[in-house]
Amino acid sequence: MAPKQRKPTPGSSSASGSSPAKAIPHIDPNSSFTPESFEKELESLAQKAQSETTLHYLTEQSIIYLKSAALLSLIALYSTVSQLNLSPTYGSIPSSKWHSKLIMAGCFAGWSTNLTLNRVLPFKPEKLLPLLAVYVPVVQFFLGKVSSTLTAQWGPLITEGLTLLPLVTISAACVATYLEGADLPGFLPSWIRDALPGLGGYGFYKLSEKILGRLAEEHIGQSVLNTRVGMELALAGSYAALAPSKLLVFALPALLHTALLNTHFPTGNALANLNKGLESVGYVVLDRKESLTGYVSVVDSPKEGYRVMRCDHSLLGGEWVKFLNQGQFKGNQVAEPIYGVFAMLEAVRLVKTPEKIKDHEAKALVIGLGIGTTPAALVAHGIDTTVVEIDPVVHEFALEYFQLPKNHTAVIEDAVTYTSRLAADEKGQRFDYIVHDVFTGGAEPIPLFTLEFLQNLNALLKPNGVIAINYAGDFALPPPRIVTNTIRSVFPACRAFREHPRDMEDFTKNQRDFTNMVMFCTKDPSGEVKFRHPNNRDLLNSPSRQAFLYPQHEVKEEDFVKAEGEAEGVLRANDTERLVKWHESSAMGHWGIMRTVLPDAVWEEW
C-alpha cells in the first residue's frame, strides 16, 4: 500500500474552487468601472477560493491523521489490557511469551490485506472493531475455564490469537486505508513516501503503548471502569463511538453476559456467583481487588482451615485460621504460617553478633509485606518494625484478614526509591535487622536483587546488624547462582538455607528444583554466620516455628547450577538481561507448581 502522490498545491490551476465563469463579477453599467477595480475584485475572489480550498484540504488531512491516531491509541491500550486479563490465569511472564509476536503478525496481516478487506467485506472494516472488542471478555472468560488443558505454554497464545489478533489486524488494515489519503511532501523519494506511513504508524503505536499502558497499570482498580474487564468495555465503547453501525445489535449477547455472568467483572453479584463456582472444590473468596502488582484476593479453605493471599497466579502467604484463639493457641500474638520459610526468616534474630542486639532497642526494616508473618513476629518480640510495601491493597488485606498488628510503621512505596533516598541521607534511620522478602511470582523482581539495591541495604544496616534475604527460584537454572554471587559481593559473611531438601525424583525427572532459599548475612568480614538455639520466647508458642525457625537445610556451592558460557560476576542494574532470559523457564515451572497447591478452579475463578 503506497500513499497518494502529493496533490496540487491549494490555489494552483488544478485546485478545486470556483469555475472561471463564476469568478467573473457582474458589472453594473451605472457604476464607476475601471480596469484596476476589476482586477482587485478578481484577486479578492481568488484569495477567497484559495482560503476555502486550503481549509478543506487541512480538514481532510487532519481527519485522516486523527482517525489513524485514535485507532492506534486504542489498540495500544488494548495491548496492555489484554495482558492484564491473562495474568491472573497464567501469570504475567507466560502471558507475555507470544504477545509481541502476535502484535507484529496482526500489524503485518492488516497492513498487507487492507485492499482485500475493503473489496470483500460489504461494509467498512472499521465497523467490525466494536463487535470484536465487545466479545473479547466473553472469549477470555470461557477459555480461562480450560486453562489447565491449554497450559501456560499455549493458553495465552490461543486466547490472544482469538481476541487481540483480530483487533490488531482490522485496526492495522483501517489505518493503512486511512493513510492512503495522506498527502506526503512530493520532494521525498518514492521509497520514503511508501515506508513512512508504516514506520510512523508503528512508532506512534509503540509510544502510545508505553504511555497508555503505564497509565492503565498505575490507575487500575480505582473504579469499576479501571478494572480489567471494565477497561475492555470502555474500549469497546470507544470503538463504537469511532465506528457506529447497525452491526452493534449483535453486541447485545456479549454485553449481557459480561454484565450478568462474567465473574471477573466486579459488579453486582459477581463475587457471590464466583463463590458458587468454588463450592465444589471447597474454597471461598473473601475479598478481591485489582491493584498495582496484580489481581489480589483473600481465599479461604473452610474445610482445611487455612487462608491465603493471592496475587495474580501466585501466593503471597497463608496462615491457619482454625487455630486462632483455640486450645493451646489461645492468646498467641502471632498466627501459624502455612509455609515454613516465613518462620525461617525470623531466624534473623538468632544470628550471633559481636554485640548482643536487645529486642526492645532494635529497629527492623522489612522489604515486602505479604500477609505480614515476619513483621508480626518482630513486633511480637518488641522490635520497632518498618515495612516497605509497594501495593496498598496488600497492606490493606494483611491488616483486615490476617494477623498483622497495627503497631508498625508502613511505607507504601517502591522499595528501590525508598532505600535509595534513605541510604543517601547520612543522618537517616539505620536498622539492626533487615528482612528482604519480595514477591516473585515465578521470577525474581530483578531491580530488588541488583548490586546497587543491595548496596543501599548494606548502607542501611548497622555495623552490628543482620540481614535475611528470601529468594524463590528454580535451582535447576543459573539465576540462583547469579543472585547469590551478587549478595556475597556486598555482604562478606553469608550462609544460605533451603526451605526443604531437594526432591531428587522431581529434579531428575523434570529438571526442576523450585524452592525458597534464605540467605543470612552480616557486615563482619572476619566473622562467620552462626545461630544460637531458639528458646521458648523465640518460638512464640508456635509449632510451625518449633519446626522451621532454626535453619536446617544448608545450600552448598555445588548445589548451584552454572550455565554453559555463563560468566561469573554480579548482577548490575544495567545488565539485567542475564536473568531476564531465564524468566520464562522459571515462570512456567512456577505455574505448574501453583496448580498443584490450589485447585484449577481457584486460579480460573478470579
Side-chain angles (χ1 to χ4, degrees):
M1 189 282 300
K4 289 183 178 179
Q5 296 289 330
R6 182 172 178 83
K7 299 175 182 177
T9 305
S12 65
S13 59
S14 60
S16 60
S18 300
S19 66
K22 292 181 180 178
I24 299 175
H26 172 70
I27 300 175
D28 185 352
N30 298 321
S31 65
S32 57
F33 172 75
T34 63
E36 291 79 6
S37 63
F38 183 72
E39 184 178 348
K40 286 182 179 178
E41 189 156 357
L42 279 178
E43 288 179 358
S44 175
L45 288 171
Q47 290 175 357
K48 182 178 180 181
Q50 182 174 358
S51 176
E52 291 175 351
T53 303
T54 302
L55 180 61
H56 174 76
Y57 167 79
L58 292 176
T59 302
E60 181 184 68
Q61 292 296 301
S62 297
I63 291 173
I64 288 172
Y65 288 111
L66 285 173
K67 289 179 72 175
S68 299
L71 277 189
L72 290 171
S73 298
L74 288 175
I75 200 62
L77 179 55
Y78 222 122
S79 171
T80 297
V81 174
S82 176
Q83 289 286 282
L84 289 172
N85 273 276
L86 290 178
S87 62
T89 307
Y90 296 105
S92 59
I93 295 174
S95 296
S96 66
K97 179 180 179 181
W98 302 99
H99 183 72
S100 60
K101 299 179 180 67
L102 280 171
I103 294 288
M104 291 295 291
C107 288
F108 177 79
W111 200 263
S112 58
T113 62
N114 71 306
L115 296 178
T116 302
L117 288 173
N118 284 316
R119 185 171 61 251
V120 171
L121 292 176
F123 45 80
K124 291 183 179 181
E126 64 187 32
K127 304 294 185 183
L128 278 175
L129 290 172
L131 205 58
L132 290 171
V134 81
Y135 273 93
V136 168
V138 179
V139 176
Q140 291 170 338
F141 178 81
F142 285 107
L143 288 181
K145 290 183 175 295
V146 292
S147 63
S148 58
T149 301
L150 299 177
T151 73
Q153 179 76 16
W154 303 110
L157 173 63
I158 294 170
T159 304
E160 287 199 320
L162 295 174
T163 55
L164 185 63
L165 180 61
L167 273 174
V168 174
T169 301
I170 300 298
S171 296
C174 292
V175 171
T177 301
Y178 296 158
L179 292 179
E180 285 183 352
D183 192 3
L184 299 177
F187 63 82
L188 292 175
S190 60
W191 64 272
I192 292 182
R193 292 200 304 271
D194 289 343
L196 196 57
L199 294 176
Y202 186 71
F204 181 83
Y205 163 80
K206 294 301 291 183
L207 179 63
S208 300
E209 184 182 43
K210 182 177 181 180
I211 296 173
L212 297 176
R214 184 174 66 247
L215 289 173
E217 291 173 349
E218 288 176 355
H219 295 89
I220 193 167
Q222 295 183 4
S223 70
V224 172
L225 285 180
N226 286 111
T227 60
R228 286 161 165 79
V229 178
M231 285 189 283
E232 289 185 327
L233 290 179
L235 284 166
S238 300
Y239 281 120
L242 192 66
S245 76
K246 295 180 180 179
L247 293 174
L248 289 176
V249 68
F250 296 106
L252 188 58
L255 289 172
L256 289 174
H257 177 273
T258 301
L260 303 176
L261 301 175
N262 193 332
T263 54
H264 306 328
F265 192 35
T267 58
N269 296 322
L271 184 57
N273 292 335
L274 182 150
N275 283 324
K276 286 180 181 178
L278 294 178
E279 285 179 354
S280 61
V281 292
Y283 286 83
V284 177
V285 175
L286 299 181
D287 206 346
R288 59 177 183 168
K289 286 187 179 181
E290 298 181 29
S291 193
L292 298 176
T293 57
Y295 164 80
V296 184
S297 64
V298 179
V299 183
D300 249 13
S301 173
K303 180 180 178 181
E304 301 295 334
Y306 65 79
R307 178 176 298 169
V308 296
M309 188 189 297
R310 168 190 177 181
C311 184
D312 276 351
H313 202 276
S314 191
L315 298 178
L316 301 185
E319 62 187 30
W320 294 101
V321 293
K322 66 181 180 181
F323 297 136
L324 291 177
N325 292 317
Q326 300 294 319
Q328 71 178 83
F329 304 100
K330 194 169 185 178
N332 273 12
Q333 295 176 273
V334 293
E336 286 294 293
I338 62 174
Y339 296 114
V341 67
F342 297 112
M344 184 166 50
L345 282 168
E346 299 166 29
V348 69
R349 294 178 54 256
L350 303 183
V351 176
K352 295 180 179 180
T353 55
E355 299 178 16
K356 184 178 180 181
I357 301 174
K358 298 178 180 179
D359 284 343
H360 66 280
E361 297 176 354
K363 295 183 181 295
L365 174 67
V366 179
I367 307 292
L369 174 61
I371 66 167
T373 300
T374 302
L378 294 174
V379 170
H381 288 297
I383 298 173
D384 182 0
T385 303
T386 298
V387 178
V388 182
E389 170 57 51
I390 191 173
D391 196 325
V393 172
V394 171
H395 184 255
E396 175 191 339
F397 282 179
L399 281 172
E400 186 172 353
Y401 296 101
F402 298 89
Q403 302 303 304
L404 176 66
K406 295 183 178 180
N407 56 332
H408 67 276
T409 301
V411 178
I412 308 301
E413 188 179 353
D414 168 43
V416 174
T417 304
Y418 173 77
T419 56
S420 296
R421 184 176 66 250
L422 199 59
D425 183 0
E426 294 183 358
K427 297 182 180 179
Q429 192 173 29
R430 297 299 183 260
F431 302 92
D432 300 279
Y433 300 119
I434 295 179
V435 177
H436 180 301
D437 182 25
V438 292
F439 163 57
T440 60
E444 59 286 314
I446 294 179
L448 301 186
F449 286 96
T450 61
L451 178 69
E452 292 79 1
F453 181 75
L454 294 171
Q455 286 173 334
N456 283 336
L457 294 188
N458 184 61
L460 296 179
L461 188 65
K462 293 180 180 179
N464 192 51
V466 184
I467 184 171
I469 302 173
N470 181 23
Y471 175 84
D474 190 344
F475 276 64
L477 299 174
R481 184 187 185 95
I482 299 172
V483 169
T484 301
N485 288 343
T486 307
I487 295 172
R488 291 185 185 278
S489 72
V490 177
F491 298 98
C494 294
R495 288 175 70 184
F497 296 85
R498 298 169 56 106
E499 183 178 11
H500 300 291
R502 172 176 284 172
D503 184 341
M504 291 306 300
E505 181 180 351
D506 188 32
F507 180 70
T508 304
K509 182 179 179 181
N510 302 314
Q511 288 298 298
R512 184 176 66 188
D513 183 22
F514 200 94
T515 190
N516 283 86
M517 171 187 71
V518 180
M519 291 191 70
F520 298 92
C521 305
T522 68
K523 300 177 73 170
D524 185 0
S526 60
E528 179 183 355
V529 175
K530 294 182 178 179
F531 301 87
R532 63 177 176 81
H533 286 282
N535 55 39
N536 289 335
R537 175 59 184 157
D538 297 320
L539 298 177
L540 297 173
N541 191 36
S542 165
S544 298
R545 289 166 176 82
Q546 186 173 356
F548 298 108
L549 175 60
Y550 193 84
Q552 301 170 51
H553 310 291
E554 188 159 7
V555 180
K556 302 296 183 182
E557 184 66 24
E558 56 269 22
D559 294 332
F560 294 104
V561 172
K562 179 181 178 182
E564 293 184 13
E566 181 71 47
E568 293 289 344
V570 300
L571 179 68
R572 297 181 180 273
N574 60 356
D575 187 28
T576 56
E577 286 300 315
R578 297 180 64 194
L579 257 63
V580 170
K581 65 182 181 181
W582 297 105
H583 273 185
E584 184 182 308
S585 298
S586 180
M588 291 292 183
H590 181 264
W591 185 88
I593 292 172
M594 289 295 100
R595 287 299 175 112
T596 66
V597 173
L598 294 177
D600 291 326
V602 176
W603 299 111
E604 294 164 354
E605 295 283 353
W606 55 272

